[in-house]
Amino acid sequence: MTLPQPISLDKIIKNVVLVRVSFDVPNLDNLERIKDALPTLKQLLEQKNKLILVTKWGKVKELPKPEQMPDHQLSTSNLLPVLQAELSDFGLETKPVYVNQFASPDFAAVQHSQQYFAGNSNLVLLENAHFDPREKSKNSQERLQIAGEYAKLANFVVDEAFASSHRLEATNAEIKTLRPFALGLSYTREVANLEKLKKPKKPFVVLMGGAKLETKLPLLQKMLPISDQILVAGLLAFTFIKAAKLNAKKLGMDSDLPEIFDSFVEENFVPQAQELLLQYPEKIILPVDFVYDEIIKDGQVKKLACDIGHLTITKFVTYIQACQSLFWNGPMGFFEKPPFDKATHQIAQIITESQCFSVLGGGDTNAALGPEILAKFSFVSMAGGATLDFLSR
Ligand code: ADP
Ligand code: MG
């Protein structure tokens, strides 16, 4: 789908604006995504606009009936007090009002939202966009149809949901064909920083950990030609080590490959891992040692590699200290269970002490590290899947 060009945020003045945000934190445990959108809201409010916020919230399994929605655990009505607190911490003295757009089929409740904009509120928070299946329908006509309902509510649209940018949804895609739109400040910052990694200053190191090689292969394939080294850790490493063992002679890696014992291998991706290793034998850097844990499963002792070992850390550090730019996605080990968080923290420390342009890409790695160290990276992406998708394109 081709979209018109965005306009500048500065151009939206004294209007009603539908702002697509990504407040997608159903457990309310990590409020960074809310905080991240506040500067955009502030600017729009200072430009005397009235705002209607819409977000997806969590994974909706069964669709509630409109009258049940406000009581549903994934109703954005649960988000209201948190949003209120965040707004006021940020110095925005506005009282957000929750309105269920789905209460009537033609969104009449919101169309009459002038009443909500009365008093001291200039901010409406709509119900969870995913409560209507048309929002993310595979059928573009259905998405267009509900986008039309949203378009009735506002003269302008602002997209501040970079984290959803890899998904085609009515409130981040079709709506932009119906109303002039601008990108939010955080969205713009995400794109600008991630763009830099598409033409990185060299040497460029990519650090890949975490799980699900399936979701990370497109990024690996895109990054291998433009990077100098890809350091592989986390659960991803086991599939590569298995693949390397199958080609050990050809790769001249025999003695370097550590035992993985009962650690989880994504068997169906072993062939692709083999291909990549043969194509880029110098660039793909694998762990040389691990820290293990023993668990009992079905009455048997299983030995699992739960973190990269100190020799691997030392090896990775030499590349990190020599690079000019770095992208990191995915924790080095099973960080939720200390002491297997050790390598993740040590590596983070080394990166933030180095002078390189360092970008941390989303998801669980952000959670593993905590705000103090995150602040020392050049840029921390708020998105998970969207970041990987943007860099893979
Ligand atoms: P991200 O969200 O940063 O992309 P993933 O979701 O791909 O990361 O993977 C994160 C998960 O991988 C974490 O829950 C972490 O515990 C797990 N993990 C990484 N390495 C290991 C390991 N060696 N053993 C068990 N779990 C691991
Ligand atoms: Mg994750």
Side-chain angles (χ1 to χ4, degrees):
M1 136 178 228
T2 45
L3 288 175
Q5 284 298 310
I7 61 168
S8 157
L9 205 60
D10 306 340
K11 297 259 150 53
I12 307 179
I13 301 165
K14 292 187 186 162
N15 256 294
V16 181
V17 189
L18 183 80
V19 188
R20 170 66 152 91
V21 286
S22 184
F23 291 170
D24 197 12
V25 276
N27 301 324
L28 295 173
D29 46 358
N30 176 1
L31 301 179
E32 289 308 311
R33 286 202 174 160
I34 296 178
K35 294 185 201 295
D36 209 47
L38 296 176
T40 295
L41 303 187
K42 181 163 189 256
Q43 180 174 339
L44 287 167
L45 290 171
E46 283 172 357
Q47 289 166 201
K48 306 248 183 303
N49 296 291
K50 296 185 188 308
L51 311 183
I52 300 177
L53 309 188
V54 61
T55 186
K56 69 165 272 226
W57 213 41
K59 285 200 170 64
V60 180
K61 294 212 179 79
E62 256 175 64
L63 295 170
K65 295 201 176 74
E67 62 275 16
Q68 302 165 333
M69 286 177 184
D71 301 321
H72 193 280
Q73 59 175 21
L74 291 179
S75 166
T76 55
S77 60
N78 299 309
L79 183 59
L80 203 63
V82 178
L83 178 61
Q84 169 78 79
E86 289 297 330
L87 287 163
S88 100
D89 276 1
F90 198 67
L92 287 170
E93 289 315 321
T94 178
K95 213 173 154 38
V97 185
Y98 158 84
V99 184
N100 183 3
Q101 68 272 38
F102 308 118
S104 62
D106 58 354
F107 283 28
V110 207
Q111 287 196 58
H112 301 130
S113 61
Q114 289 312 329
Q115 59 183 303
Y116 302 105
F117 286 143
N120 65 348
S121 181
N122 36 22
L123 203 72
V124 162
L125 176 65
L126 293 184
E127 185 49 278
N128 189 344
H130 281 189
F131 279 173
D132 189 307
R134 290 173 295 173
E135 170 70 11
K136 53 177 186 142
S137 166
K138 293 217 162 54
N139 178 335
S140 63
Q141 282 311 310
E142 286 183 5
R143 294 198 307 271
L144 190 61
Q145 192 188 37
I146 191 154
E149 298 299 333
Y150 283 105
K152 284 184 205 160
L153 308 177
N155 314 97
F156 288 90
V157 169
V158 169
D159 189 351
E160 188 55 308
F162 179 76
S164 292
S165 61
H166 59 317
R167 302 216 161 86
L168 268 186
E169 301 194 351
T171 57
N172 67 20
E174 278 72 16
I175 189 89
K176 293 174 179 165
T177 65
L178 302 175
R179 288 285 177 269
F181 74 96
L183 300 175
L185 300 170
S186 164
Y187 194 121
T188 304
R189 208 169 41 242
E190 289 275 356
V191 170
N193 279 289
L194 297 178
E195 274 301 341
K196 288 186 200 164
L197 293 179
K198 292 192 174 176
K199 286 200 182 98
K201 277 204 181 143
K202 308 271 266 171
F204 174 40
V205 164
V206 176
L207 186 56
M208 291 278 278
K212 293 168 288 177
L213 188 52
E214 181 176 10
T215 62
K216 302 196 174 179
L217 265 174
L219 182 67
L220 273 173
Q221 276 153 344
K222 182 80 184 185
M223 288 290 164
L224 273 163
I226 60 168
S227 66
D228 293 274
Q229 286 92 27
I230 299 217
L231 316 177
V232 184
L235 294 165
L236 305 183
F238 309 141
T239 305
F240 274 96
I241 287 176
K242 170 137 191 202
K245 285 189 178 183
L246 295 170
N247 296 284
K249 288 246 158 57
K250 250 194 233 168
L251 292 165
M253 282 177 134
D254 228 352
S255 55
D256 294 340
L257 293 166
E259 288 294 339
I260 59 169
F261 299 105
D262 305 305
S263 306
F264 178 69
V265 170
E266 289 172 81
E267 293 292 346
N268 40 349
F269 289 100
V270 170
Q272 281 186 63
Q274 288 189 69
E275 268 173 45
L276 290 176
L277 283 166
L278 290 169
Q279 199 180 348
Y280 299 99
E282 317 270 283
K283 284 193 181 180
I284 301 177
I285 311 295
L286 300 180
V288 290
D289 62 339
F290 290 110
V291 183
Y292 300 95
D293 197 10
E294 282 182 0
I295 59 160
I296 296 181
K297 201 177 162 200
D298 307 327
Q300 290 194 332
V301 180
K302 302 269 178 196
K303 193 165 176 179
L304 303 173
C306 287
D307 201 7
I308 54 172
H310 72 277
L311 294 174
T312 307
I313 297 178
T314 309
K315 188 170 179 181
F316 283 7
V317 165
T318 40
Y319 293 114
I320 292 168
Q321 285 175 336
C323 80
Q324 292 279 337
S325 36
L326 180 141
F327 175 67
W328 179 8
N329 171 261
M332 299 291 97
F334 186 15
F335 72 89
E336 294 94 336
K337 190 178 173 199
F340 307 117
D341 57 344
K342 189 173 155 207
T344 301
H345 288 291
Q346 278 191 2
I347 294 279
Q349 192 66 36
I350 299 290
I351 294 172
T352 55
E353 283 165 6
S354 85
Q355 299 297 312
C356 71
F357 174 71
S358 55
V359 176
L360 184 60
D364 289 298
T365 324
N366 295 15
L369 293 178
E372 212 168 294
I373 191 104
L374 288 184
K376 295 183 183 161
F377 281 80
S378 310
F379 180 68
V380 177
S381 175
M382 282 295 135
T387 307
L388 300 190
D389 184 76
F390 184 90
L391 290 172
S392 318
R393 270 184 271 142

